[in-house]
């Protein structure tokens, strides 16, 4: 069950959503217009669980293309909801914008609750009375800042919600996909291309997407939750609290995803900042690939999953070689165009494949045949005349894959040889871009002959 939270810009919708959900997920800032996409947050009250849809401020007189997109998103939220919550600023009093939004709500068929926000003390309660003139029933006095009246508001919302017949998918096999990257590289356009509809606002203004928004789709019958994230900027250039908050949000999204697509602008190539973002994702345990979006603008005609020719092939191979050199996990570099739809389906197929590889468990017998081959190709290192012996390997975890190799002495393991084993493992089992953990475990009970070896 869903409640659409709508209202004029800067009336405190996101602050109220945070208060009702007891979170800080909705971005709050004193500047109007910070919330641009709609964001869904779950809460519960008196045994009922429901979702609040936080939307951008609606100003019907603003003809700016971005403002029009925000209005469209708010209308879509209302179409997806069972109850509408109109938030007004009690301190500012009735404004024409409030009446215009009320007119839009009246034309719908949803039950409506009016929350007169910013009533921070009992002395301010009379300020709510102005909003009776909206003709939407009794306005409820609330304070997002102080929590005043929020219990009564939640009671009213739960009373109006229909019986919840939704079944959660917490236990289902779901692949969580995060799209991360610098501002204005086309993350929102890619999300819309995946979903086949305008779900996220797309704008030429850098940093349009301020919030992380979870969306669901199916790929070949399997469920995927897409986390579309705000753009990341270099820490030194984060001068506004909003941008700093956005950076933290992107990091958080990577930490809770199974797969991360680092979206890059094909016109810029893969920048140093793109590489740092990919490194961040992989350190969080995400299986990761890089995507050169806007490939159509470069004139590229390259198969994203193949080695072969076409316009831009040489440049693409150079980018791949650079990624392999710079990033230890060697993530794949794919190409796509959100604008033309080129390779969008193949991108989703690769996402599912990389998620499966991160979850795959390799039989122990097969792993030990692999270990014997590795030793045959390159002998383990020796220190002071004593050679490292790798005795046995098994997989002890998935997502990310984790392996334990029994050895005779940890002191004889060199970083170079550990990387060699990791890279061979990655090549053999298609673990490009998948974090791999190898524990070199010294066997506890060794014979005197082994100690002398």
């Amino acid at each position: 069950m869903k409640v659409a939270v709508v209202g004029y810009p800067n009336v405190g919708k996101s602050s109220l959503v945070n208060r009702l959900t007891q979170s800080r997920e909705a971005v709050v800032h004193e500047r109007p217009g910070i919330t641009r996409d709609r964001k869904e947050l779950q809460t519960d009250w008196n045994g009922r669980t429901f979702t609040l849809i936080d939307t951008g401020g609606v100003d019907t007189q603003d003809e700016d293309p971005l403002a029009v997109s925000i209005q469209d998103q708010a209308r879509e939220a209302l179409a997806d909801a069972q109850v509408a919550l109109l938030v007004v600023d009690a301190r500012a009093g009735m404004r024409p914008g409030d009446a215009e939004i009320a007119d839009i709500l009246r034309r719908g068929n949803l039950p409506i609750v009016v929350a007169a926000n910013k009533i921070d003390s009992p002395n301010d309660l009379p300020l709510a009375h102005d909003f009776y003139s909206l003709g939407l029933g009794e306005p409820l006095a609330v304070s997002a800042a102080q929590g005043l009246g929020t219990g009564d508001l939640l009671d009213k919302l739960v009373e109006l919600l229909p019986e919840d017949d939704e079944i959660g998918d917490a236990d289902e096999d779901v692949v969580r996909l995060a799209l991360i990257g610098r501002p204005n590289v086309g993350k929102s356009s890619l999300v819309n291309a995946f979903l086949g509809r305008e779900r996220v606002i797309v704008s030429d203004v850098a940093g349009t997407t301020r919030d992380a928004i979870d969306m669901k789709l199916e790929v070949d019958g399997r469920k995927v939750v897409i986390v579309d994230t705000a753009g990341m900027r270099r820490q030194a250039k984060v001068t506004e609290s909003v941008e700093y908050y956005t950076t933290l949000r992107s990091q958080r999204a990577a930490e809770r995803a199974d797969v991360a697509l680092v979206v890059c602008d094909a016109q810029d190539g893969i920048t140093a900042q793109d590489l740092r973002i990919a490194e961040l994702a992989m350190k969080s345990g995400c299986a990761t690939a890089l995507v050169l979006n806007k490939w159509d603008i470069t004139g590229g005609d390259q198969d994203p999953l193949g080695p072969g020719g076409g316009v831009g092939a040489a440049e693409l191979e150079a980018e791949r070689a650079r990624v392999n050199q710079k990033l230890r996990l060697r993530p794949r570099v794919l190409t796509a165009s959100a604008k033309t739809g080129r390779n969008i389906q193949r991108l989703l197929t690769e996402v599912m494949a990389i998620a499966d590889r991160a979850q795959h468990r390799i039989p122990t017998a097969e792993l030990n045949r692999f270990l014997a081959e590795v030793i045959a190709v390159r002998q383990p290192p020796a220190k002071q005349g004593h050679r490292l012996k790798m005795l046995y390997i098994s997989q002890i975890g998935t997502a990310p894959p984790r392996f334990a190799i029994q050895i005779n002495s940890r002191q004889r393991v060199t970083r170079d040889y550990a990387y060699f084993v990791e890279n061979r493992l990655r090549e053999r089992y298609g673990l490009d871009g998948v974090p791999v953990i190898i524990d070199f475990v010294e066997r506890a009970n060794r014979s005197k002959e082994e100690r002398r070896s």
Side-chain angles (χ1 to χ4, degrees), residues 195-369:
L195 296 170
R197 58 194 174 99
E198 289 291 323
R199 175 62 178 81
V200 178
I201 292 174
V202 178
S203 170
D204 291 334
V205 180
T208 300
T209 308
R210 299 284 189 183
D211 280 314
I213 306 165
D214 289 3
M215 289 152 284
K216 298 178 181 179
L217 78 157
E218 284 196 6
V219 179
D220 298 329
R222 297 176 61 188
K223 292 188 177 181
V224 177
V225 174
I226 299 179
V227 181
D228 176 49
T229 65
M232 296 182 64
R233 295 189 178 177
R234 291 180 187 171
Q235 201 73 12
K237 292 190 175 181
V238 177
T239 55
E240 295 186 59
S241 60
V242 172
E243 298 299 347
Y244 177 72
Y245 199 14
T246 295
T247 301
L248 295 181
R249 182 67 46 74
S250 296
Q251 292 173 341
R252 191 182 306 167
E255 288 168 359
R256 64 189 183 96
D258 304 308
V259 179
L261 291 181
V262 180
V263 184
C264 315
D265 190 328
Q267 299 171 95
D268 301 334
I270 297 171
T271 67
Q273 192 177 358
D274 295 331
L275 294 172
R276 282 193 291 274
I277 293 170
E279 189 72 41
L280 178 151
M282 290 182 286
K283 282 182 178 178
S284 72
C286 249
T288 304
L290 286 83
V291 181
L292 286 165
N293 188 30
K294 308 181 186 180
W295 193 244
D296 56 300
I297 298 177
T298 69
D301 191 27
Q302 172 74 19
D303 184 335
L305 302 180
V311 177
E315 292 86 348
L316 182 58
E317 287 308 312
E319 294 285 6
R320 285 174 170 160
R322 181 163 165 266
V323 167
N324 283 342
Q325 181 184 23
K326 296 287 186 180
L327 296 177
R328 173 180 164 187
L329 273 61
R330 301 184 177 182
R332 305 192 77 175
V333 178
L334 315 174
T335 62
S337 170
K339 183 177 180 181
T340 67
R342 181 174 178 80
N343 295 328
I344 293 300
Q345 192 57 44
R346 295 190 73 173
L347 208 55
L348 287 171
T349 300
E350 176 65 14
V351 165
M352 304 310 291
I354 194 173
D356 286 343
R357 291 195 292 272
Q359 289 279 3
H360 181 58
R361 188 173 288 276
I362 305 165
T364 300
E366 184 179 333
L367 280 172
N368 280 283
R369 286 193 294 270

Side-chain angles (χ1 to χ4, degrees), residues 424-444:
R424 284 290 172 143
L425 196 62
R426 206 180 293 287
E427 291 167 8
R428 171 65 66 86
Y429 298 106
L431 298 175
D432 297 336
V434 177
V436 171
I437 303 168
I438 301 177
D439 298 324
F440 290 91
V441 182
E442 186 172 324
R443 199 164 71 175

Side-chain angles (χ1 to χ4, degrees), residues 2-174:
K2 296 182 178 181
V3 176
V5 184
V6 297
Y8 201 71
N10 216 29
V11 295
K13 294 183 298 299
S14 295
S15 296
L16 185 58
V17 167
N18 283 341
R19 171 66 68 173
L20 297 179
T21 58
Q22 296 184 345
S23 74
R24 294 185 61 194
E25 286 294 313
V27 173
V28 178
H29 197 270
E30 62 187 10
R31 186 198 308 160
I34 291 303
T35 305
R36 292 167 175 180
D37 292 312
R38 66 185 188 272
K39 177 177 177 58
E40 300 186 2
L41 292 171
Q42 196 172 79
T43 190
D44 60 85
W45 184 253
N46 289 343
R48 293 291 304 277
T49 299
F50 59 98
T51 299
L52 294 169
I53 311 175
D54 185 25
T55 66
V58 177
D59 184 352
T60 57
Q61 300 302 310
D62 193 340
E63 297 181 358
D64 180 86
L66 188 59
V68 173
S69 293
I70 292 170
Q71 294 168 35
D72 291 340
Q73 291 288 337
R75 290 189 178 95
E76 283 196 32
L78 289 168
D80 196 27
Q82 287 73 47
V83 175
L85 174 58
L86 173 59
V87 183
V88 294
D89 184 341
R91 288 186 182 176
M94 269 284 293
R95 292 178 291 187
D98 298 324
E100 289 162 4
I101 298 169
D103 286 340
I104 294 173
L105 294 177
R106 264 193 295 269
R107 289 195 289 270
N109 55 6
L110 296 182
I112 305 162
V113 178
V114 178
N117 191 26
K118 304 187 183 181
I119 294 183
D120 297 335
S121 74
N123 294 334
D124 297 332
L125 287 172
L127 298 176
H129 298 161
D130 287 352
F131 299 92
Y132 274 104
S133 61
L134 293 175
L136 297 175
E138 179 185 2
L140 298 181
V142 297
S143 168
Q146 306 297 328
L148 180 74
T150 51
D152 292 339
L153 176 58
L154 286 164
D155 283 341
K156 186 65 175 179
L157 293 175
V158 167
E159 175 191 327
L160 294 174
L161 283 169
E163 285 302 314
D164 191 355
D165 58 357
E166 293 184 350
I167 300 174
D169 59 1
D171 296 326
E172 296 181 10
D173 179 24
V174 177

